[in-house]
Amino acid sequence: MKKIILTGDRPTGPLHLGHYVGSLKNRVALQNTGDYDEMYVFIADTQALTDNFKNPKKVHDNVIEVMLDYLSVGLNPEKVTFFIQSKIPQLCELTMYYMNLVTLSRLERNPTVKQELIQKNFENSIPVGFLTYPISQTADITAFEATIVPVGEDQLPMLEQAREIVRSFNNIYGDTLVEPVALIPDSKVCRRLPGTDGKAKMSKSLGNCIYLKDDSETVKKKVMSMYTDPNHLKVTDPGNTKDNPVFIYLEALVEESHFEKYLPDYKTLDELKAHYEKGGLGDVTVKKFLYNVIEEVLEPIRERRKYYEDNLELVHNYLQEGTKKAEAKAASTLAKVKKSMLIDYKDIM
Ligand code: ATP
Ligand code: MG
């Protein structure tokens, strides 16, 4: 079986550190191994509209932002096919057919959807499009016959839903679709990076992000005002490192060489944590260190972004060419699906 990688992001804002540790880093690593047959990375504007339908300009403008982020982290258009979701009409058609295979109660039970419904305060006015977005996600995944989907932890229920739809389709109509598996980061802290406000997830919609495109001053301000342990009032107080986003970010990003360079009194994160937990280590010291570590990560990303911002026509070209290629692939899968469902009517027309 072919190894096909597919993943995407919603153009609801620029990408942030959560995306970087949760998914982008994995994608670049996969890309660089070269151990795959096809790799698709797409901008999920149709999905973004399900809860931003009153905000078309936001979705429109963020398509290019997200594409710039992709190129800035090092995704390479020679290896990756980039496309815009709404430009592939076959995805809507597949969604329509898959809708028959999913019950309303199954969608309502999806833990990620459940949580997002609360977060978005829809109450009794849930848009049908929002509730059904896991089905359209299955269309995205199956249209490209993806076998591996690198995502953060919040997407695991979506992958489960996709696998169920694939099994159900293949049972009824015969072996046609490919079952995908999720690829989540090895490190637990990277699977769901918390927000700078200490909330469970850094998320564009929650406004608690450090964006990959933030300049150095902005990063400094955000880091220095991050939530830490609220009971660590005096430097001498013992502190909590477990639910402390400053330490969680360090765990996700720090490398041994950073200690040597920026905080030579310590050799490892464990040493730093032990001191904080015992008492005697101030938040400001740890935050300054974290700021330097984040800057190490963001500096090369900013540099690449600057290049692509100055060469936007290149960026547009990558999207145009990728979208063309992606449409051909989706059309080929749709043809197989329609044949299996006996709606290609080759016998009649
Ligand atoms: P929105 O608030 O609009 O839903 P988001 O910040 O959740 O935006 P998405 O575009 O929904 O971002 O997610 C894209 C990918 O990034 C998904 O695979 C998701 O699991 C991953 N991801 C998003 N936020 C985090 C995070 N804080 N930690 C780890 N992975 C994340
Ligand atoms: Mg999300």
Side-chain angles (χ1 to χ4, degrees):
M1 194 170 53
K2 274 191 170 177
K3 200 163 169 183
I4 300 181
I5 301 164
L6 172 128
T7 182
D9 306 270
R10 296 150 41 95
T12 49
L15 300 184
H16 51 64
L17 276 184
H19 295 116
Y20 180 73
V21 301
S23 176
L24 295 170
K25 233 169 127 178
N26 254 345
R27 296 181 207 178
V28 175
L30 275 168
Q31 163 195 281
N32 293 341
T33 62
D35 179 23
Y36 57 88
D37 296 287
E38 293 163 41
M39 181 160 174
Y40 299 90
V41 174
F42 73 102
I43 304 176
D45 61 335
T46 310
Q47 191 193 116
L49 283 165
T50 62
D51 56 329
N52 290 278
F53 54 91
K54 290 184 183 160
N55 243 327
K57 184 150 174 23
K58 170 173 147 186
V59 173
H60 171 273
D61 293 352
N62 277 304
V63 166
I64 215 67
E65 285 296 328
V66 170
M67 184 63 187
L68 282 167
D69 283 327
Y70 286 161
L71 296 167
S72 312
V73 296
L75 288 172
N76 176 351
E78 280 176 21
K79 299 179 176 167
V80 176
T81 304
F82 297 102
F83 66 92
I84 301 177
Q85 186 186 23
S86 68
K87 283 291 196 182
I88 316 289
Q90 291 82 0
L91 299 177
C92 297
E93 210 174 328
L94 286 173
T95 304
M96 194 79 192
Y97 301 136
Y98 297 166
M99 280 195 178
N100 303 330
L101 308 175
V102 183
T103 64
L104 198 55
S105 64
R106 174 64 181 87
L107 287 173
E108 284 166 342
R109 258 190 291 123
N110 183 312
T112 303
V113 172
K114 242 176 161 172
Q115 208 177 15
E116 287 175 342
L117 286 176
I118 298 168
Q119 185 197 318
K120 290 174 202 301
N121 267 329
F122 284 133
E123 292 178 9
N124 286 329
S125 359
I126 305 169
V128 173
F130 185 79
L131 195 65
T132 54
Y133 89 74
I135 306 178
S136 101
Q137 237 171 283
T138 305
D140 305 333
I141 294 168
T142 55
F144 298 93
E145 305 185 304
T147 50
I148 298 169
V149 185
V151 284
E153 192 180 53
D154 64 315
Q155 292 301 305
L156 290 180
M158 301 303 164
L159 264 291
E160 205 34 58
Q161 180 104 60
R163 292 158 62 83
E164 276 175 40
I165 294 175
V166 167
R167 284 195 285 255
S168 171
F169 188 101
N170 289 349
N171 265 334
I172 302 171
Y173 305 111
D175 240 355
T176 313
L177 302 175
V178 180
E179 244 185 79
V181 293
L183 179 75
I184 59 170
D186 295 334
S187 149
K188 197 159 178 278
V189 295
C190 293
R191 294 177 192 162
R192 186 185 300 247
L193 200 73
T196 49
D197 56 359
K199 287 208 178 111
K201 182 175 173 284
M202 182 180 284
S203 162
K204 294 175 227 131
S205 312
L206 297 175
N208 56 7
C209 310
I210 293 176
Y211 292 107
L212 302 181
K213 64 178 276 195
D214 279 344
D215 61 32
S216 184
E217 259 323 288
T218 310
V219 173
K220 191 181 236 165
K221 265 194 216 132
K222 287 183 178 176
V223 171
M224 295 317 282
S225 55
M226 265 178 78
Y227 174 93
T228 58
D229 172 5
N231 297 319
H232 186 246
L233 296 172
K234 288 192 287 253
V235 173
T236 47
D237 288 340
N240 171 351
T241 57
K242 262 213 195 85
D243 316 306
N244 188 331
V246 174
F247 280 93
I248 296 176
Y249 289 9
L250 280 175
E251 189 148 347
L253 296 168
V254 84
E255 286 168 24
E256 231 175 77
S257 62
H258 295 150
F259 283 98
E260 238 168 80
K261 207 161 159 190
Y262 301 112
L263 203 60
D265 288 349
Y266 304 84
K267 281 206 173 57
T268 62
L269 187 57
D270 284 342
E271 260 182 40
L272 192 72
K273 277 185 180 172
H275 193 182
Y276 191 83
E277 282 163 11
K278 192 171 97 201
L281 176 59
D283 281 331
V284 172
T285 307
V286 190
K287 283 179 169 177
K288 277 191 182 150
F289 179 50
L290 174 62
Y291 162 69
N292 284 318
V293 170
I294 294 179
E295 281 294 288
E296 286 262 328
V297 175
L298 294 189
E299 203 35 59
I301 296 180
R302 282 187 202 120
E303 237 168 74
R304 276 192 291 257
R305 191 177 231 276
K306 171 91 184 60
Y307 170 78
Y308 287 111
E309 276 173 350
D310 292 341
N311 291 281
L312 269 183
E313 68 294 343
L314 260 186
V315 181
H316 296 170
N317 264 344
Y318 297 148
L319 269 174
Q320 284 161 14
E321 305 213 327
T323 300
K324 238 189 264 162
K325 213 169 132 191
E327 185 171 358
K329 172 88 181 188
S332 138
T333 307
L334 180 63
K336 288 187 210 166
V337 162
K338 291 175 98 165
K339 185 165 187 268
S340 298
M341 292 179 73
L342 307 181
I343 55 172
D344 63 351
Y345 300 112
K346 286 265 164 62
D347 50 338
I348 300 177
M349 46 186 74

